[in-house]
Amino acid sequence: MNEAAPRADIGAADAEMTDDARIAVRARDVNVFYGEKQALFDVSVDIREHQVTSLIGPSGCGKSTFLRCINRMNDVIEGCRVEGLIELHGEDIHDPRMDVVQLRARVGMVFQKPNPFPKSIFENVSYGPRIHGLTSSKSEMRDLVEDSLRRAGLWNEVAERLDEPGTGLSGGQQQRLCIARAIAVRPEVILMDEPCSALDPIATARIEELIDDLRENYTIVIVTHSMQQAARVSQRTAFFHLGNLVEVGPTDAIFTAPSDKRTEDYITGRFG
Ligand SMILES: Nc1ncnc2c1ncn2[C@@H]1O[C@H](COP(=O)(O)OP(=O)(O)OP(=O)(O)O)[C@@H](O)[C@H]1O
């Protein structure tokens, strides 16, 4: 499906598109290949600012591959080739002038398994701002670390132990630390690849609440295997199948009145 196509092709689910909805990420005709094998086919989608967009679909349909296109993480996979246009707030991310290190600060990523550095809690958060030169004094850095940990809903739990290793935190706390680390470099977009799959239900609920809070300041794209989670956290949902983006629209419309039979089969549990 193609969001650049006439509205009739977009489907009823996307008919509420307003002219003033700002687009954070615009993808057009994105094709991705791993060697000879094509993993994504002509994916076109607009990711709206300050909304949470869920990517759902059966295993192997290309959700993570698409997510990695947005901050060019596929560049680091040998044999992976990405074609098509991806813009971040109107800038072509494949433009030769685009600094990839800068791009990955603007488009942060949180992975399935929390992956704090083997360093202190403080250093986990301060590392990014330090290498990007975002602060000019120790006290500014302390403020930035505190602000990032507050935004990630972790400050109260770690304020007294900033020098302790990040790896000593619980899984859910580690994941919030990774979110604080992403936030610290002032991203525009945060990509989350199944961020709760290694967490228990309480830690999961915490992260889901956090995702909702973060939406005020950031645009979030999340890959999830859980349709319940997509329904809880996202305003928009994109359904992928066999490397195609089948449809995208408001989450409630995708789950209650999908326009494509494949989406309906998936959400009713007929496959996947
Ligand atoms: N590094 C890689 N090398 C070769 N093929 C890959 C690589 N990563 C993904 N693929 C293939 O690309 C296709 C899409 O995979 P991808 O991981 O994007 O799907 P997914 O929808 O995120 O799956 P899952 O839900 O299982 O995580 C699959 O056929 C997969 O085998």
Side-chain angles (χ1 to χ4, degrees):
M1 97 128 251
N2 189 334
E3 281 205 345
R7 175 139 300 170
D9 290 349
I10 295 176
D14 212 26
E16 87 338 331
M17 179 77 177
T18 56
D19 290 339
D20 57 2
R22 293 195 17 134
I23 305 305
V25 177
R26 187 187 298 277
R28 289 292 178 272
D29 301 318
V30 173
N31 291 289
V32 178
F33 303 82
Y34 293 105
E36 295 294 301
K37 183 179 156 26
Q38 188 162 359
L40 285 181
F41 298 83
D42 291 325
V43 172
S44 294
V45 64
D46 289 338
I47 305 286
R48 297 178 192 183
E49 245 184 8
H50 300 298
Q51 297 204 352
V52 180
T53 300
S54 287
L55 311 183
I56 64 165
S59 192
C61 66
K63 307 178 290 293
S64 300
T65 297
F66 182 67
L67 197 73
R68 286 194 300 267
C69 287
I70 303 175
N71 66 350
R72 290 184 49 183
M73 282 294 279
N74 287 319
D75 289 12
V76 302
I77 297 177
E78 212 184 305
C80 185
R81 192 171 92 247
V82 178
E83 292 175 353
L85 176 72
I86 300 173
E87 289 177 347
L88 172 63
H89 284 120
E91 280 178 73
D92 179 355
I93 69 165
H94 295 109
D95 188 297
R97 285 164 299 182
M98 176 64 75
D99 175 343
V100 180
V101 174
Q102 201 61 41
L103 173 69
R104 294 193 189 132
R106 293 174 65 188
V107 185
M109 193 153 191
V110 175
F111 297 87
Q112 206 166 354
K113 207 167 159 286
N115 58 349
F117 308 133
K119 298 259 180 203
S120 71
I121 293 168
F122 187 92
E123 285 169 295
N124 262 277
V125 184
S126 63
Y127 178 78
R130 192 151 41 80
I131 60 165
H132 288 284
L134 296 186
T135 56
S136 51
S137 69
K138 279 191 173 168
S139 74
E140 244 185 75
M141 180 63 88
R142 271 198 304 273
D143 289 348
L144 178 54
V145 168
E146 176 176 340
D147 179 62
S148 307
L149 288 165
R150 281 191 191 283
R151 286 172 189 245
L154 190 59
W155 176 251
N156 291 340
E157 290 153 72
V158 302
E160 304 301 325
R161 49 196 286 210
L162 294 176
D163 293 334
E164 292 177 20
T167 46
L169 297 170
S170 73
Q173 289 172 325
Q174 288 188 24
Q175 199 58 306
R176 279 180 281 140
L177 179 61
C178 293
I179 292 171
R181 187 173 66 186
I183 287 172
V185 288
R186 304 187 181 127
E188 292 153 48
V189 177
I190 304 176
L191 309 176
M192 299 186 171
D193 198 350
E194 297 183 54
C196 302
S197 64
L199 305 181
D200 65 37
I202 293 171
T204 295
R206 212 50 226 277
I207 299 279
E208 288 184 359
E209 278 168 31
L210 176 59
I211 290 171
D212 200 47
D213 295 342
L214 292 173
R215 180 160 76 82
E216 197 183 323
N217 294 302
Y218 310 98
T219 300
I220 296 173
V221 187
I222 176 172
V223 168
T224 177
H225 271 123
S226 159
M227 285 184 267
Q228 289 79 5
Q229 180 167 73
R232 284 191 299 265
V233 303
S234 62
Q235 288 69 52
R236 293 173 62 76
T237 293
F239 172 67
F240 285 78
H241 183 240
L242 299 175
N244 295 290
L245 173 53
V246 173
E247 63 180 301
V248 56
T251 296
D252 52 357
I254 294 288
F255 286 118
T256 56
S259 51
D260 193 286
K261 175 85 169 53
R262 289 165 291 179
T263 317
E264 189 182 333
D265 285 350
Y266 182 69
I267 62 170
T268 54
R270 252 166 267 169
F271 63 77

